Amino acid sequence: MTPLYDALAARAARDQARFHMPGHKGYPIGALWGEITAIDFTELSDTGDLYRGGDDGPIRAAERLYAEAYGAGDCLFLTGGSTQGVLAMLAAFAHPGDTVLVDRNAHASVHHALALLDLHPVWLFSQVVEPFGVSGGLPARTLEMALVAHPEAACALVTSPTYHGVQSDLVTLSAAARRHGVPLLADAAHGAHLPYVDGQVGPTAQGAAAACLSAHKTLPALGQAAFLLAADPRDTGRLRDGARLFGTASPSYVLMASLDLARDYMMHQGRTRLAEVVQWADRWRDQPGGPFLAGAVDPARLCLFTGRGVGDAAWLEQACGVVCEMADARNVVFLLSALDSAQDLERLSAALHALWRDRPPPAVSPALRPPDWPPPFAALSPRQAFFARHVVCPLAAAAGRAAARAIAPYPPGVPLVAPGELIDKNHTELLYQMGYDGNTPVCVVDEPDLMKGPRL
């Protein structure tokens, strides 16, 4: 029996348009997809070694081509996705016990890194963009104030673009960080395609000291294929050490080869095709008063406000054969790439027209989070909370206890309460609004003596 393979094969056989990752959208690029087992090698005399810093073999040559394409000082391939990259960056630019400034709109891997590396976060909050209810770009003023208040900070980490497609001004943010002698790191997992869009450059070319990007999300690369960019080649060694620390000792050559093929494709016909896809998206997004997230956003991602995103995403798949990347309580998000065919885009257009005809959006919801809420109170460090004894209790009984794991409605997974923070009645009320109930299980710290100790 092959239950996983059978499920994947059945999904692939459906008549559906795929507006979700991976960016290859199921279409073969080059010869790789037809000969995977034939090129599945290990470290041999002529195949290169991913973690050998002085190696001048084919892996290193392919990495240098990426650095050139993205305007970076150097590049390192990753086979553990941007999760491996986030862990490697924080290990490279911070030490155990350090304070780090972190965009609250952070991936789960950031919270894992904080626990593993014993780092102490100062969270940076953005304004909510209505009616979408999503975080906007991180204001430079917010970062500047945090840098002044925390001169001991080892680094700052910002997420750009976000899962919903919002981009922060990395040029301004990195300039602010440099004034305080602090490196700016970018989790640009969702932005590997952006340097192939006219007028856009990579995150290190915008001033970030280092950045991780997931090729598999928006480029024609296989799942988990990602890469790290370094602005200064002198940082390559410590980034490589971090990547080795959190990566497998047997990295997949198939994944690395897909990175090589993806860049080559995008440098040639992919760039032209992506421009056509972006033009198509612009026609939808630029409609006056339209329901799409606009402004400083990823031009190849459509975030559509419908007022009941999860239900509408299910309807689009069942009624129209259009599968989105993600949906939350209000929005449906479509991930576009150079591999979306004209036929698939036409199908999405027809589906959007049908959605508005058959399921008009309700009245705009009020802001879920009151603007005068104070930040959650950190009773324990992320490491203390993650490795403490814990229990699972119903949400109705969680108020007043410290979260042992992030309480993060998924998608997009941005924690309402992070590990170590106290859960209060405001949090539980908001979770009820999001569809949780009093019996929803929540993981909380169960060490009374630890909770009586010094608080952060």
Side-chain angles (χ1 to χ4, degrees):
M1 297 179 64
T2 55
L4 175 58
Y5 175 82
D6 292 346
L8 296 175
R11 165 67 74 166
R14 294 180 190 173
D15 178 23
Q16 292 181 328
R18 297 163 56 163
F19 292 97
H20 56 80
M21 62 183 76
H24 58 69
K25 305 297 182 80
Y27 293 92
I29 299 298
L32 173 62
W33 275 249
E35 52 178 45
I36 287 178
T37 56
I39 64 167
D40 192 9
F41 283 104
T42 187
E43 291 86 353
L44 300 173
S45 60
D46 57 352
T47 59
D49 187 326
L50 177 60
Y51 297 124
R52 185 179 299 163
D55 183 19
D56 286 324
I59 297 175
R60 201 70 189 104
E63 289 175 334
R64 291 190 180 108
L65 288 171
Y66 260 88
E68 181 180 353
Y70 284 77
D74 207 348
C75 172
L76 302 174
F77 282 178
L78 304 171
T79 59
S82 281
T83 291
Q84 184 186 4
V86 165
L87 293 164
M89 287 194 301
L90 287 172
F93 287 92
H95 297 93
D98 277 353
T99 297
V100 292
L101 310 180
V102 187
D103 188 344
R104 184 69 171 202
N105 199 335
H107 188 261
S109 59
V110 174
H111 297 273
H112 299 159
L114 297 174
L116 287 169
L117 300 171
D118 193 19
L119 301 176
H120 300 273
V122 172
W123 296 108
L124 309 176
F125 292 86
S126 301
Q127 291 294 316
V128 173
V129 180
E130 296 295 353
F132 305 90
V134 305
S135 295
L138 183 67
R141 173 68 175 163
T142 298
L143 176 60
E144 188 84 49
M145 289 192 301
L147 290 164
V148 171
H150 296 278
E152 77 281 8
C155 61
L157 175 66
V158 62
T159 305
S160 180
T162 67
Y163 205 165
H164 288 91
V166 177
Q167 295 192 75
S168 291
D169 184 351
L170 293 183
V171 173
T172 303
L173 291 170
S174 59
R178 278 196 304 274
R179 286 195 296 271
H180 294 265
V182 172
L184 182 79
L185 312 178
D187 177 357
H190 289 272
H193 61 294
L194 292 175
Y196 302 103
V197 177
D198 286 345
Q200 304 225 22
V201 296
T204 55
Q206 296 178 62
C212 59
L213 302 92
S214 288
H216 73 93
K217 294 187 190 302
T218 56
L219 300 184
L222 294 176
Q224 293 183 216
F227 54 99
L228 263 175
L229 298 177
D232 188 338
R234 291 174 295 183
D235 291 328
T236 301
R238 55 176 169 167
L239 286 168
R240 192 184 304 279
D241 286 343
R244 183 188 295 111
L245 177 64
F246 296 107
T248 173
S250 301
S252 168
Y253 278 71
V254 172
L255 295 187
M256 291 188 286
S258 78
L259 281 167
D260 202 17
L261 284 168
R263 178 203 50 78
D264 186 69
Y265 174 80
M266 293 305 299
M267 293 295 290
H268 298 96
Q269 62 265 44
R271 187 188 297 272
T272 299
R273 180 57 190 149
L274 182 59
E276 296 170 353
V277 170
V278 167
Q279 289 176 0
W280 178 91
D282 285 343
R283 288 194 291 272
W284 282 100
R285 190 167 34 241
D286 294 343
Q287 298 179 65
F292 290 100
L293 186 63
V297 298
D298 176 356
R301 187 165 303 216
L302 289 176
C303 177
L304 167 66
F305 171 79
T306 72
R308 44 171 183 263
V310 175
D312 286 335
W315 184 87
L316 285 166
E317 182 169 351
Q318 295 165 6
C320 306
V322 168
V323 186
C324 70
E325 165 59 27
M326 62 91 87
D328 57 30
R330 303 187 190 184
N331 312 295
V332 180
V333 177
F334 305 94
L335 185 156
L336 310 179
S337 84
L339 272 297
D340 287 314
S341 67
Q343 293 78 11
D344 283 346
L345 295 178
E346 290 174 3
R347 189 169 187 173
L348 177 54
S349 291
L352 293 176
H353 285 301
L355 178 68
W356 289 321
R357 181 190 66 232
D358 299 340
R359 297 170 65 87
V364 175
S365 302
L368 287 177
R369 177 171 176 167
D372 56 348
W373 262 22
F377 176 75
L380 302 171
S381 73
R383 183 176 181 85
Q384 287 175 316
F386 193 90
F387 292 106
R389 288 190 301 273
H390 57 271
V391 295
V392 174
C393 74
L395 179 61
R401 307 192 71 170
R405 301 291 183 269
I407 303 176
Y410 188 89
V414 178
L416 176 63
V417 184
E421 294 178 344
L422 287 183
I423 303 166
D424 65 26
K425 291 183 178 180
N426 286 325
H427 301 129
T428 57
E429 288 299 321
L430 182 51
L431 289 167
Y432 292 149
Q433 292 179 42
M434 292 176 161
Y436 287 62
D437 61 40
N439 294 317
T440 301
V442 176
C443 189
V444 296
V445 173
D446 190 36
E447 289 199 42
D449 292 340
L450 183 63
M451 293 297 296
K452 292 177 183 177
R455 294 184 172 181
L456 300 181

